[in-house]
Amino acid sequence: MRERTHGHPQALTVVLLAVGVALLAAGVLLSARDGQSADELASLAETTHATDATPQGDAAGIDWDALESQNPDTVAWLQVSNTTVNVPVVQSSAEDPDRYLYLDFWGEPSDTGCPYLDSLCDADGTVMVVYGHRTLYRDYMFHDLSGAFEQGTFDTLGPAKWSTPAGGDASLAPLCSASVDRWDAAWQSVAKVRDVQALRVWLDWAASVSRASNGAAGALASSATRALVLVTCNGRAFHPETRTVTVFVSTSATPCA
């Protein structure tokens, strides 16, 4: 280590001030971008959930034609009760699986991206794994899910509504949530599950190792027919490699109306 000196305290003050101003400017810029993204999504949600019948409208009143005209990769709309999660979901491709990590719904560069379905999953399949950002300056995208691995936060979550053009609306109950390493193979394996029995085995395991879970997790896991797995950063200090994985399940044989 270098010996501490006291030669240029004024120069050090200037440097620290400059760094502070730069960080503040960056924060203001990111805050402005966050706010713009949040407002654009809120406007999209308002115009998408049409009250009148639309050419491809379903029980949710979603104008799928309008969404797909803005982004042909649109595959679903996601809402989670008691949160600000109310977003379109796009499909990622095997060739570019993280394309929407830093592109918004309209394909423009974005710090907060757009929620996207894992390239291994189908929007009307047995398992839907969706990735979304935890936002910093406004509560939207998957921000409200970032702390769901804590039981108190998990208990505030309501059902998730998963809407697709072909499948209509499906309601899924919160099963469990955990803080996991981003490379954890056991958690990642769910994206490859296609069989309902294999899904139930995985769900039972997930609930057993999760820090937060539904009081009826065992019964829900053993009767589940579909799972929605939402993944986001959890914001734990000094743990940038961790993710919050929150699992919702449906026990219905068909999507609800």
Side-chain angles (χ1 to χ4, degrees):
M1 293 180 66
R2 292 185 180 179
E3 182 180 356
R4 182 179 297 176
T5 65
H6 302 277
H8 303 284
Q10 186 174 359
L12 180 59
T13 300
V14 171
V15 170
L16 291 176
L17 178 60
V19 170
V21 171
L23 290 175
L24 177 60
V28 170
L29 178 60
L30 289 174
S31 179
R33 288 179 182 172
D34 237 9
Q36 181 180 355
S37 297
D39 291 341
E40 288 172 347
L41 273 181
S43 178
L44 180 66
E46 184 176 347
T47 57
T48 296
H49 289 75
T51 55
D52 299 325
T54 59
Q56 292 184 13
D58 61 10
I62 294 177
D63 189 343
W64 294 109
D65 279 345
L67 282 175
E68 291 169 1
S69 69
Q70 296 177 75
N71 189 329
D73 291 336
T74 304
V75 292
W77 192 278
L78 170 65
Q79 293 176 277
V80 180
S81 300
N82 302 330
T83 76
T84 57
V85 178
N86 185 20
V87 291
V89 178
V90 293
Q91 176 78 65
S92 68
S93 66
E95 296 73 25
D96 192 2
D98 295 319
R99 166 179 167 79
Y100 285 99
L101 192 61
Y102 292 110
L103 290 181
D104 67 15
F105 178 73
W106 298 273
E108 297 296 328
S110 168
D111 299 309
T112 52
C114 181
Y116 59 96
L117 184 67
D118 192 293
S119 61
L120 297 175
C121 299
D122 184 277
D124 294 303
T126 303
V127 177
M128 298 82 69
V129 180
V130 182
Y131 307 96
H133 278 287
R134 169 185 177 267
T135 52
L136 293 176
Y137 298 97
R138 288 277 291 273
D139 295 359
Y140 69 111
M141 291 295 184
F142 284 7
H143 181 279
D144 291 351
L145 300 174
S146 62
F149 63 91
E150 298 283 4
Q151 188 69 50
T153 301
F154 178 84
D155 289 341
T156 68
L157 300 180
K161 181 193 284 188
W162 180 257
S163 305
T164 68
D169 300 345
S171 180
L172 300 100
L175 177 77
C176 61
S177 186
S179 175
V180 308
D181 186 276
R182 63 179 300 187
W183 303 115
D184 191 305
W187 283 94
Q188 290 181 346
S189 66
V190 68
K192 300 178 182 179
V193 172
R194 300 291 181 270
D195 176 76
V196 170
Q197 292 305 318
L199 172 65
R200 291 173 178 174
V201 170
W202 186 89
L203 291 172
D204 186 65
W205 167 82
S208 71
V209 299
S210 290
R211 184 169 173 176
S213 62
N214 192 310
L220 287 171
S222 64
S223 58
T225 54
R226 301 179 78 192
L228 173 66
V229 182
L230 305 182
V231 183
T232 191
C233 294
N234 58 31
R236 292 177 60 204
F238 310 112
H239 293 282
E241 76 287 354
T242 56
R243 301 291 181 265
T244 298
V245 181
T246 305
V247 183
F248 297 78
V249 296
S250 170
T251 58
S252 174
T254 57
C256 66

